[in-house]
Amino acid sequence: MGADTSNKPEFKRSPSHFVDRITADGSEGWPVEAGRYRLIVSRACPWANRAMIARRLLGLESAISLAVADPIQDERSWRFTLDPDGRDPVLGIRFLAEAYYARDPEYTGGISVPAIVDIPSGKLVTNDYLHIPANFATEWRSLHREGAPDLYPEPLRDEIDEISEVIFRDVNNGVYVCGFARTQQTYERAFTALFTRLDALSERLSRQRYLVGDSITVADIALFVTLVRFDAVYHGHFKCNRNKLTEMPVLWAYARDLFQTPGIGDTVDFDHIKRHYYVVHRDINPSGIVPLGPDLSGWLTPHGREELGGRPFGDGTPPGPPPEAERIPAQW
């Protein structure tokens, strides 16, 4: 997450400052190499969740290790208080900021996840949250598991990019514009754009199982990470309350379909999600009280989307279970 939530009328998402790519040929100075890099995430963050899902579906767990930050930040940035002694066991750092400053000691911007860190040097490589999933799908192909799906198929990239752009603008970012709006006009404009876009996506998904083509792509991952947080956080906390997700039948079924797909729902930690948003955003929720609801058990109910056809993994196969250290405790 990277955002400016200061007292301004308009919410502005901070752009990624470090946009280096890790490439198969090493042309940008960072070659794909198994075991060299560490993916830093918060399970609360939708942008980090995108990277986690792509990593799981493609079977990159052994190629790029995972560090999970505490969902509760402090003024020093994302912290590794979930690990023994409060240090990441691989990088040896207490705060993600340390990797940012190792890369650029003069850096004064936000400290965001997902972040990929070069283990030998301890330096941040990239925090380019929008493009990490597609980069995993293309540049890391030599390290994909056998049977990995094609999440960014070349013939469909223009369409994937087009729909991903409007999802980012109106949905992924739109919920934040609603939540952090300082004027009624700003809020109402973002609210209207959000639900207009969700209605259009619902219409599209009433006719096809996935957003583009007949299998899961990075576009579906982009939409899912907002939908899965919608009722737990965005509906109440960010005032995105025209409807709950559970009251939008097509999108609710679509989201359940993806949640029940191996490699997607097993990356979602509702406890981390709720604690982060409700505790950290004291300007929105001064009490820091985390609501007990909503009932989340409906995520495992039948969705019926198989009737639309499509194959979740295309010509590929499902990923195996997550590594033991990455499994999320039962949530209901």
Short mmCIF file of all heavy atoms in Angstrom, two decimals, residues 171 194-206 211 223-224 227-228 230 242-259 299 303 305:
data_model
loop_
_atom_site.label_atom_id
_atom_site.label_comp_id
_atom_site.label_asym_id
_atom_site.label_seq_id
_atom_site.Cartn_x
_atom_site.Cartn_y
_atom_site.Cartn_z
N VAL A 171 -12.34 1.00 -9.26
CA VAL A 171 -12.64 0.01 -8.22
C VAL A 171 -11.50 -0.08 -7.21
O VAL A 171 -11.68 0.28 -6.04
CB VAL A 171 -12.95 -1.37 -8.84
CG1 VAL A 171 -13.27 -2.39 -7.75
CG2 VAL A 171 -14.10 -1.27 -9.83
N LEU A 194 -17.51 4.14 -8.76
CA LEU A 194 -17.29 2.79 -8.26
C LEU A 194 -18.45 1.87 -8.60
O LEU A 194 -18.27 0.80 -9.19
CB LEU A 194 -17.08 2.84 -6.74
CG LEU A 194 -17.15 1.51 -5.99
CD1 LEU A 194 -16.02 0.58 -6.41
CD2 LEU A 194 -17.14 1.74 -4.48
N PHE A 195 -19.66 2.29 -8.24
CA PHE A 195 -20.79 1.38 -8.45
C PHE A 195 -21.24 1.32 -9.90
O PHE A 195 -21.75 0.29 -10.35
CB PHE A 195 -21.93 1.75 -7.50
CG PHE A 195 -21.67 1.26 -6.09
CD1 PHE A 195 -21.20 2.12 -5.12
CD2 PHE A 195 -21.85 -0.07 -5.77
CE1 PHE A 195 -20.93 1.66 -3.84
CE2 PHE A 195 -21.59 -0.55 -4.49
CZ PHE A 195 -21.12 0.32 -3.52
N THR A 196 -21.01 2.38 -10.66
CA THR A 196 -21.25 2.30 -12.10
C THR A 196 -20.34 1.26 -12.73
O THR A 196 -20.77 0.45 -13.57
CB THR A 196 -21.03 3.68 -12.77
OG1 THR A 196 -21.97 4.62 -12.22
CG2 THR A 196 -21.22 3.60 -14.27
N ARG A 197 -19.08 1.25 -12.31
CA ARG A 197 -18.14 0.27 -12.84
C ARG A 197 -18.48 -1.14 -12.37
O ARG A 197 -18.43 -2.10 -13.15
CB ARG A 197 -16.71 0.63 -12.41
CG ARG A 197 -15.65 -0.32 -12.98
CD ARG A 197 -15.60 -0.29 -14.49
NE ARG A 197 -15.33 1.07 -14.97
CZ ARG A 197 -15.48 1.44 -16.23
NH1 ARG A 197 -15.90 0.57 -17.14
NH2 ARG A 197 -15.21 2.69 -16.60
N LEU A 198 -18.85 -1.30 -11.11
CA LEU A 198 -19.22 -2.63 -10.63
C LEU A 198 -20.45 -3.15 -11.36
O LEU A 198 -20.53 -4.35 -11.67
CB LEU A 198 -19.48 -2.59 -9.11
CG LEU A 198 -18.24 -2.40 -8.23
CD1 LEU A 198 -18.65 -2.31 -6.77
CD2 LEU A 198 -17.22 -3.53 -8.42
N ASP A 199 -21.41 -2.28 -11.66
CA ASP A 199 -22.57 -2.71 -12.44
C ASP A 199 -22.16 -3.18 -13.83
O ASP A 199 -22.67 -4.18 -14.34
CB ASP A 199 -23.58 -1.56 -12.55
CG ASP A 199 -24.29 -1.27 -11.24
OD1 ASP A 199 -24.26 -2.13 -10.33
OD2 ASP A 199 -24.87 -0.17 -11.12
N ALA A 200 -21.24 -2.44 -14.47
CA ALA A 200 -20.79 -2.83 -15.80
C ALA A 200 -20.02 -4.15 -15.76
O ALA A 200 -20.18 -5.00 -16.65
CB ALA A 200 -19.90 -1.72 -16.39
N LEU A 201 -19.21 -4.33 -14.75
CA LEU A 201 -18.48 -5.59 -14.61
C LEU A 201 -19.43 -6.75 -14.33
O LEU A 201 -19.25 -7.86 -14.83
CB LEU A 201 -17.44 -5.47 -13.50
CG LEU A 201 -16.27 -4.53 -13.79
CD1 LEU A 201 -15.48 -4.25 -12.52
CD2 LEU A 201 -15.35 -5.12 -14.86
N SER A 202 -20.47 -6.48 -13.55
CA SER A 202 -21.47 -7.51 -13.29
C SER A 202 -22.17 -7.94 -14.57
O SER A 202 -22.38 -9.14 -14.82
CB SER A 202 -22.49 -6.97 -12.28
OG SER A 202 -23.47 -7.94 -12.01
N GLU A 203 -22.50 -6.97 -15.41
CA GLU A 203 -23.13 -7.29 -16.69
C GLU A 203 -22.19 -8.14 -17.54
O GLU A 203 -22.61 -9.14 -18.15
CB GLU A 203 -23.50 -5.99 -17.41
CG GLU A 203 -24.01 -6.19 -18.83
CD GLU A 203 -25.29 -6.99 -18.92
OE1 GLU A 203 -26.04 -7.03 -17.91
OE2 GLU A 203 -25.55 -7.59 -19.98
N ARG A 204 -20.94 -7.76 -17.59
CA ARG A 204 -19.95 -8.52 -18.38
C ARG A 204 -19.83 -9.95 -17.85
O ARG A 204 -19.83 -10.93 -18.61
CB ARG A 204 -18.61 -7.80 -18.31
CG ARG A 204 -17.48 -8.45 -19.10
CD ARG A 204 -16.16 -7.74 -18.84
NE ARG A 204 -15.07 -8.24 -19.64
CZ ARG A 204 -14.59 -7.64 -20.74
NH1 ARG A 204 -15.14 -6.52 -21.17
NH2 ARG A 204 -13.59 -8.18 -21.40
N LEU A 205 -19.77 -10.08 -16.54
CA LEU A 205 -19.54 -11.39 -15.93
C LEU A 205 -20.81 -12.23 -15.85
O LEU A 205 -20.74 -13.41 -15.49
CB LEU A 205 -18.93 -11.20 -14.53
CG LEU A 205 -17.47 -10.73 -14.54
CD1 LEU A 205 -17.06 -10.21 -13.17
CD2 LEU A 205 -16.54 -11.86 -15.00
N SER A 206 -21.93 -11.65 -16.18
CA SER A 206 -23.15 -12.47 -16.26
C SER A 206 -23.13 -13.36 -17.49
O SER A 206 -23.86 -14.35 -17.57
CB SER A 206 -24.39 -11.56 -16.31
OG SER A 206 -24.47 -10.85 -17.53
N LEU A 211 -13.00 -12.44 -16.73
CA LEU A 211 -13.07 -11.12 -17.35
C LEU A 211 -12.61 -11.12 -18.80
O LEU A 211 -13.20 -10.44 -19.65
CB LEU A 211 -12.25 -10.11 -16.55
CG LEU A 211 -12.88 -9.66 -15.24
CD1 LEU A 211 -11.87 -8.87 -14.40
CD2 LEU A 211 -14.13 -8.81 -15.50
N LEU A 223 -9.35 -7.55 -9.86
CA LEU A 223 -10.70 -7.30 -9.36
C LEU A 223 -10.96 -8.06 -8.07
O LEU A 223 -11.55 -7.52 -7.12
CB LEU A 223 -11.73 -7.68 -10.42
CG LEU A 223 -13.20 -7.49 -10.05
CD1 LEU A 223 -13.49 -6.05 -9.64
CD2 LEU A 223 -14.11 -7.92 -11.20
N PHE A 224 -10.49 -9.29 -7.99
CA PHE A 224 -10.77 -10.13 -6.82
C PHE A 224 -10.27 -9.48 -5.53
O PHE A 224 -10.98 -9.51 -4.51
CB PHE A 224 -10.12 -11.50 -7.00
CG PHE A 224 -10.18 -12.35 -5.74
CD1 PHE A 224 -11.34 -13.03 -5.42
CD2 PHE A 224 -9.08 -12.46 -4.90
CE1 PHE A 224 -11.42 -13.80 -4.26
CE2 PHE A 224 -9.15 -13.22 -3.74
CZ PHE A 224 -10.31 -13.89 -3.42
N LEU A 227 -12.82 -7.08 -4.30
CA LEU A 227 -14.09 -7.73 -3.96
C LEU A 227 -13.98 -8.51 -2.65
O LEU A 227 -14.91 -8.50 -1.84
CB LEU A 227 -14.54 -8.67 -5.08
CG LEU A 227 -14.90 -8.01 -6.42
CD1 LEU A 227 -15.37 -9.09 -7.40
CD2 LEU A 227 -15.94 -6.93 -6.26
N VAL A 228 -12.87 -9.18 -2.42
CA VAL A 228 -12.76 -10.02 -1.23
C VAL A 228 -12.69 -9.18 0.05
O VAL A 228 -13.02 -9.66 1.14
CB VAL A 228 -11.55 -10.98 -1.34
CG1 VAL A 228 -10.23 -10.28 -1.00
CG2 VAL A 228 -11.73 -12.21 -0.46
N PHE A 230 -14.44 -6.30 0.27
CA PHE A 230 -15.53 -5.33 0.16
C PHE A 230 -16.44 -5.30 1.39
O PHE A 230 -16.60 -4.26 2.03
CB PHE A 230 -16.35 -5.60 -1.11
CG PHE A 230 -17.08 -4.39 -1.60
CD1 PHE A 230 -16.48 -3.52 -2.49
CD2 PHE A 230 -18.36 -4.09 -1.16
CE1 PHE A 230 -17.12 -2.38 -2.93
CE2 PHE A 230 -19.03 -2.96 -1.60
CZ PHE A 230 -18.40 -2.09 -2.49
N ARG A 242 -23.65 1.40 -1.13
CA ARG A 242 -24.88 1.23 -1.91
C ARG A 242 -25.38 -0.20 -1.81
O ARG A 242 -26.57 -0.45 -1.65
CB ARG A 242 -24.64 1.60 -3.39
CG ARG A 242 -25.93 1.72 -4.19
CD ARG A 242 -25.70 1.63 -5.68
NE ARG A 242 -25.42 0.27 -6.12
CZ ARG A 242 -25.23 -0.07 -7.39
NH1 ARG A 242 -25.28 0.85 -8.33
NH2 ARG A 242 -24.98 -1.34 -7.71
N ASN A 243 -24.45 -1.13 -1.94
CA ASN A 243 -24.74 -2.55 -1.78
C ASN A 243 -23.54 -3.22 -1.12
O ASN A 243 -22.41 -2.78 -1.28
CB ASN A 243 -24.95 -3.26 -3.13
CG ASN A 243 -26.03 -2.65 -3.98
OD1 ASN A 243 -25.74 -1.88 -4.89
ND2 ASN A 243 -27.27 -3.00 -3.69
N LYS A 244 -23.82 -4.29 -0.40
CA LYS A 244 -22.77 -5.22 -0.03
C LYS A 244 -22.45 -6.10 -1.24
O LYS A 244 -23.27 -6.26 -2.14
CB LYS A 244 -23.21 -6.10 1.14
CG LYS A 244 -23.44 -5.34 2.43
CD LYS A 244 -23.91 -6.30 3.52
CE LYS A 244 -24.14 -5.56 4.82
NZ LYS A 244 -24.66 -6.45 5.89
N LEU A 245 -21.27 -6.70 -1.23
CA LEU A 245 -20.95 -7.67 -2.28
C LEU A 245 -21.98 -8.79 -2.28
O LEU A 245 -22.40 -9.25 -3.35
CB LEU A 245 -19.54 -8.24 -2.06
CG LEU A 245 -19.13 -9.34 -3.03
CD1 LEU A 245 -19.03 -8.81 -4.46
CD2 LEU A 245 -17.80 -9.97 -2.60
N THR A 246 -22.40 -9.23 -1.11
CA THR A 246 -23.36 -10.33 -1.02
C THR A 246 -24.72 -9.96 -1.58
O THR A 246 -25.58 -10.83 -1.75
CB THR A 246 -23.51 -10.80 0.44
OG1 THR A 246 -23.84 -9.67 1.26
CG2 THR A 246 -22.22 -11.42 0.94
N GLU A 247 -24.95 -8.68 -1.86
CA GLU A 247 -26.20 -8.21 -2.45
C GLU A 247 -26.08 -7.97 -3.96
O GLU A 247 -27.03 -7.49 -4.58
CB GLU A 247 -26.65 -6.93 -1.74
CG GLU A 247 -26.97 -7.15 -0.27
CD GLU A 247 -27.11 -5.86 0.51
OE1 GLU A 247 -26.73 -4.78 -0.01
OE2 GLU A 247 -27.59 -5.93 1.65
N MET A 248 -24.92 -8.29 -4.52
CA MET A 248 -24.70 -8.17 -5.96
C MET A 248 -24.47 -9.59 -6.50
O MET A 248 -23.34 -10.08 -6.49
CB MET A 248 -23.51 -7.24 -6.24
CG MET A 248 -23.75 -5.81 -5.79
SD MET A 248 -22.37 -4.66 -6.16
CE MET A 248 -21.31 -4.96 -4.73
N PRO A 249 -25.52 -10.26 -6.93
CA PRO A 249 -25.45 -11.72 -7.14
C PRO A 249 -24.34 -12.18 -8.08
O PRO A 249 -23.66 -13.17 -7.79
CB PRO A 249 -26.84 -12.05 -7.70
CG PRO A 249 -27.72 -10.96 -7.20
CD PRO A 249 -26.88 -9.74 -7.15
N VAL A 250 -24.15 -11.50 -9.21
CA VAL A 250 -23.15 -11.96 -10.17
C VAL A 250 -21.75 -11.80 -9.59
O VAL A 250 -20.93 -12.74 -9.63
CB VAL A 250 -23.28 -11.20 -11.51
CG1 VAL A 250 -22.11 -11.53 -12.43
CG2 VAL A 250 -24.60 -11.55 -12.18
N LEU A 251 -21.45 -10.64 -9.05
CA LEU A 251 -20.11 -10.40 -8.51
C LEU A 251 -19.85 -11.27 -7.28
O LEU A 251 -18.71 -11.73 -7.07
CB LEU A 251 -19.93 -8.93 -8.17
CG LEU A 251 -19.90 -7.97 -9.35
CD1 LEU A 251 -19.76 -6.53 -8.87
CD2 LEU A 251 -18.76 -8.31 -10.31
N TRP A 252 -20.86 -11.52 -6.48
CA TRP A 252 -20.71 -12.38 -5.31
C TRP A 252 -20.39 -13.81 -5.74
O TRP A 252 -19.48 -14.45 -5.20
CB TRP A 252 -21.97 -12.29 -4.47
CG TRP A 252 -22.09 -13.17 -3.27
CD1 TRP A 252 -23.21 -13.86 -2.89
CD2 TRP A 252 -21.11 -13.48 -2.25
NE1 TRP A 252 -23.00 -14.56 -1.72
CE2 TRP A 252 -21.71 -14.34 -1.31
CE3 TRP A 252 -19.79 -13.11 -2.06
CZ2 TRP A 252 -21.04 -14.84 -0.19
CZ3 TRP A 252 -19.10 -13.60 -0.94
CH2 TRP A 252 -19.72 -14.46 -0.03
N ALA A 253 -21.08 -14.31 -6.75
CA ALA A 253 -20.79 -15.66 -7.24
C ALA A 253 -19.40 -15.72 -7.87
O ALA A 253 -18.64 -16.68 -7.66
CB ALA A 253 -21.85 -16.08 -8.24
N TYR A 254 -19.07 -14.70 -8.67
CA TYR A 254 -17.75 -14.62 -9.31
C TYR A 254 -16.64 -14.61 -8.25
O TYR A 254 -15.64 -15.34 -8.37
CB TYR A 254 -17.70 -13.36 -10.15
CG TYR A 254 -16.34 -12.92 -10.63
CD1 TYR A 254 -15.70 -13.53 -11.70
CD2 TYR A 254 -15.69 -11.84 -10.02
CE1 TYR A 254 -14.47 -13.10 -12.16
CE2 TYR A 254 -14.45 -11.40 -10.46
CZ TYR A 254 -13.84 -12.03 -11.52
OH TYR A 254 -12.61 -11.59 -11.97
N ALA A 255 -16.81 -13.81 -7.21
CA ALA A 255 -15.78 -13.72 -6.17
C ALA A 255 -15.65 -15.04 -5.43
O ALA A 255 -14.53 -15.47 -5.09
CB ALA A 255 -16.12 -12.58 -5.21
N ARG A 256 -16.77 -15.71 -5.15
CA ARG A 256 -16.69 -17.01 -4.48
C ARG A 256 -16.00 -18.04 -5.36
O ARG A 256 -15.24 -18.88 -4.88
CB ARG A 256 -18.09 -17.50 -4.10
CG ARG A 256 -18.79 -16.59 -3.13
CD ARG A 256 -19.90 -17.26 -2.34
NE ARG A 256 -20.84 -18.09 -3.05
CZ ARG A 256 -21.88 -17.64 -3.78
NH1 ARG A 256 -22.07 -16.34 -3.92
NH2 ARG A 256 -22.71 -18.48 -4.34
N ASP A 257 -16.27 -18.00 -6.66
CA ASP A 257 -15.63 -18.91 -7.60
C ASP A 257 -14.11 -18.77 -7.49
O ASP A 257 -13.36 -19.76 -7.36
CB ASP A 257 -16.11 -18.59 -9.01
CG ASP A 257 -15.62 -19.56 -10.07
OD1 ASP A 257 -14.97 -20.57 -9.73
OD2 ASP A 257 -15.89 -19.30 -11.26
N LEU A 258 -13.64 -17.53 -7.52
CA LEU A 258 -12.19 -17.30 -7.43
C LEU A 258 -11.66 -17.68 -6.04
O LEU A 258 -10.60 -18.29 -5.92
CB LEU A 258 -11.87 -15.84 -7.75
CG LEU A 258 -12.12 -15.42 -9.20
CD1 LEU A 258 -11.87 -13.93 -9.37
CD2 LEU A 258 -11.25 -16.20 -10.17
N PHE A 259 -12.38 -17.31 -5.00
CA PHE A 259 -11.94 -17.61 -3.64
C PHE A 259 -11.75 -19.11 -3.45
O PHE A 259 -10.81 -19.55 -2.76
CB PHE A 259 -12.96 -17.08 -2.64
CG PHE A 259 -12.56 -17.25 -1.20
CD1 PHE A 259 -11.75 -16.31 -0.57
CD2 PHE A 259 -12.99 -18.35 -0.47
CE1 PHE A 259 -11.37 -16.48 0.75
CE2 PHE A 259 -12.62 -18.51 0.86
CZ PHE A 259 -11.81 -17.57 1.48
N TRP A 299 -18.35 -17.50 2.01
CA TRP A 299 -17.34 -17.61 0.95
C TRP A 299 -17.16 -19.04 0.47
O TRP A 299 -16.65 -19.27 -0.64
CB TRP A 299 -16.00 -17.05 1.45
CG TRP A 299 -15.97 -15.55 1.41
CD1 TRP A 299 -16.19 -14.69 2.44
CD2 TRP A 299 -15.73 -14.75 0.26
NE1 TRP A 299 -16.09 -13.39 2.00
CE2 TRP A 299 -15.81 -13.39 0.67
CE3 TRP A 299 -15.45 -15.02 -1.08
CZ2 TRP A 299 -15.62 -12.33 -0.22
CZ3 TRP A 299 -15.27 -13.97 -1.96
CH2 TRP A 299 -15.35 -12.64 -1.54
N HIS A 303 -21.21 -21.68 -5.89
CA HIS A 303 -21.33 -20.45 -6.66
C HIS A 303 -22.00 -20.65 -8.02
O HIS A 303 -22.52 -19.71 -8.61
CB HIS A 303 -19.95 -19.82 -6.89
CG HIS A 303 -18.94 -20.77 -7.44
ND1 HIS A 303 -18.90 -21.15 -8.76
CD2 HIS A 303 -17.91 -21.42 -6.82
CE1 HIS A 303 -17.91 -22.00 -8.94
NE2 HIS A 303 -17.28 -22.19 -7.79
N ARG A 305 -20.88 -21.03 -10.96
CA ARG A 305 -20.28 -20.37 -12.13
C ARG A 305 -19.76 -21.38 -13.16
O ARG A 305 -19.49 -21.00 -14.31
CB ARG A 305 -19.12 -19.47 -11.68
CG ARG A 305 -19.51 -18.32 -10.77
CD ARG A 305 -20.09 -17.16 -11.53
NE ARG A 305 -19.12 -16.53 -12.42
CZ ARG A 305 -19.41 -15.54 -13.25
NH1 ARG A 305 -20.64 -15.08 -13.33
NH2 ARG A 305 -18.49 -15.03 -14.04
#
